[in-house]
Amino acid sequence: MRAYIRSAMPDTSSMPIPGLVDPVPTPRDVTPRRDGRVDVLGLPRTRIRELFSRAGLDEKQAKLRAKQVYHWLYHRGAISFADMTDISKTMRPWLEERFVIGRPEVAEAQHSNDGTRKWLLRTDDGHEFEMVFIPDADRGTLCVSSQVGCTLNCTFCHTGTMRLVRNLTPGEIVGQVMLARDSLGEWPKGKMDVSDDADETEYRADGRLLTNIVMMGMGEPLYNFDNVRDALKLVMDGEGLALSKRRITLSTSGVVPAMARCGEEIGVNLAVSLHAVNKEVRDEIVPINRKYGLEELLQACADYPGASNSRRITFEYVMLKDKNDSDEDAHELVRLLRKYDLPAKVNLIPFNPWPGSIYECSEPARIRSFSNIVFEGGISAPVRTPRGRDIDAACGQLKTSALKKSRAELDREAEAAELAQA
Ligand code: SAH
Ligand code: SF4
């Protein structure tokens, strides 16, 4: 147990992401808290079992306890070992002493008058990130963050003005879903001491509010591939949170080399932040385009494992006045999607301005005209209705955090100073 205790803060010293992407700090999967206890949230069952046996349980006990704890964590939403009533009374304090069940801390929670909810969350080492829940008539979508900040600098995105602080761990990613279920009261109701083999319909909540997940919060999920994959595996596991992969969408700005892996190893729906149809404009507003160009990106979409007419790829397109919103752009979009024979739908997103942003949203009539052209080209192109505007709920738009504002400002100042020196 003690062997795991390295320092009070997550150890980010020696974990560059291997391979194709720039190294970003990634805490180890097992980083003890300040009190030395290890957070089991976000760990696969085999890892929990391993930790239990290292802490002193024999193999058989470790296996049994890991199975029970896993079930309580993901099926029942337990946040304390004391609630795990089918585990012996002496074992519960033993677990409590050594392990902890984490949830991101809620720094702030807001409720919009259209039902949208937004949370500003805080990691154990004090970094803030956000999560948004958007209820609709037939579904409830949770917008989940993958990083604190982002290494990319899309010019219309508020997150892009923040420097990347660090990747979120699998526990912090799956922890967002757990926290949303806590807040929505969506864990099985009734007595907590129903045994494993009881009829699940006795205690399963009906009419769930949280039905869909989109990896569209802060950060670029494919630059935190392993942690996002491990978290989503827990979300999709039938014995875990049991949400179908068809109800999960991962949005990428176009990290081409990781897209095939995303289809193969995670298998969720893909959304691509296209936002422009020619090199010049996309290079400017989505700068990763300079590394992986449009043609390469669209080819990777055409090759995306699992994409089909019943599982189309969503192309996100933010409507920026006089930048990417002309009729010619719309025609070119249709031409490109046809050229690559893509099973596609286009999501037109009215630009959500933030203080200091250099763009304006396109006029409603312009957006309608753009949408009509894409529709006439045989591709669905709905305009996304802005939600939770009164609480700035669009992803990357949380303005209320004084801390975050000052950090973004500090980053800009640091960059300006560096440039002045150069
Ligand atoms: N990094 C990933 C996922 C997070 S961003 C990506 O870029 O796809 C989620 C979506 O919100 C992206 O399509 C992004 O381009 C869009 N977005 C960011 N800032 C926005 C703004 N100010 N107004 C409208 N959409 C925005
Ligand atoms: Fe990062 Fe996505 Fe924002 Fe671009 S749009 S800066 S990739 S979060």
Side-chain angles (χ1 to χ4, degrees), residues 156-157 216-217 219-220 251-253 273 275 316 318 351-352 397:
F156 54 85
C157 172
M216 286 188 192
E220 168 48 60
S251 173
T252 180
S253 57
S273 293
H275 304 318
E316 293 158 283
V318 65
F351 170 61
N352 195 11
Q397 302 298 298

Side-chain angles (χ1 to χ4, degrees), residues 45 55 75 81 99 103 132 175 190 219 225 227 246 304 337 408 418:
R45 197 157 61 188
H75 231 78
F81 294 101
F99 301 98
R103 289 284 195 272
V132 180
F225 187 90
N227 289 356
R246 294 183 180 270
Y304 187 69
L337 297 178
E418 270 168 30

Side-chain angles (χ1 to χ4, degrees), residues 187-337:
W187 294 110
K189 296 192 173 64
K191 283 164 69 190
M192 287 294 261
D193 60 349
V194 182
S195 67
D196 265 0
D197 52 8
D199 178 2
E200 301 211 333
T201 52
E202 275 175 41
Y203 61 86
R204 197 183 268 275
D206 294 314
R208 287 242 158 94
L209 294 168
L210 198 172
T211 58
N212 291 57
I213 291 179
V214 291
M215 295 302 303
M216 286 188 192
M218 286 170 75
E220 168 48 60
L222 294 188
Y223 270 172
N224 186 16
F225 187 90
D226 290 359
N227 289 356
V228 168
R229 176 200 55 209
D230 293 351
L232 291 180
K233 287 233 180 292
L234 296 167
V235 174
M236 295 185 288
D237 182 4
E239 291 179 32
L241 288 166
L243 202 79
S244 156
K245 64 181 183 179
R246 294 183 180 270
R247 292 189 170 273
I248 303 174
T249 301
L250 182 146
S251 173
T252 180
S253 57
V255 184
V256 168
M259 283 168 57
R261 275 186 77 200
C262 175
E264 283 153 15
E265 295 179 36
I266 315 179
V268 290
N269 303 320
L270 186 71
V272 171
S273 293
L274 196 65
H275 304 318
V277 289
N278 63 58
K279 177 169 168 50
E280 194 197 342
V281 179
R282 197 161 191 271
D283 274 358
E284 179 193 330
I285 67 177
V286 188
I288 196 178
N289 196 62
R290 296 175 207 161
K291 200 165 180 179
Y292 310 115
L294 264 172
E295 310 270 307
E296 224 181 315
L297 174 59
L298 293 172
Q299 188 56 51
C301 292
D303 298 339
Y304 187 69
S308 66
N309 278 330
S310 62
R311 269 193 104 190
R312 288 174 292 167
I313 295 174
T314 305
F315 289 90
E316 293 158 283
Y317 200 97
V318 65
M319 299 302 296
L320 303 172
K321 188 175 181 179
D322 299 331
K323 181 51 75 180
N324 63 356
D325 63 350
S326 69
D327 285 352
E328 292 70 51
D329 290 324
H331 286 296
E332 180 60 7
L333 179 57
V334 172
R335 189 190 72 80
L336 281 174
L337 297 178

Side-chain angles (χ1 to χ4, degrees), residues 112-114 116 134-136 347-353 361 367 383-394:
S112 161
N113 48 28
D114 70 6
T116 304
I134 305 159
D136 276 308
N347 210 342
L348 298 176
I349 316 172
F351 170 61
N352 195 11
C361 183
I367 300 180
V383 181
R384 198 195 278 173
T385 323
R387 297 290 301 271
R389 280 265 163 121
D390 54 326
I391 56 167
D392 282 317

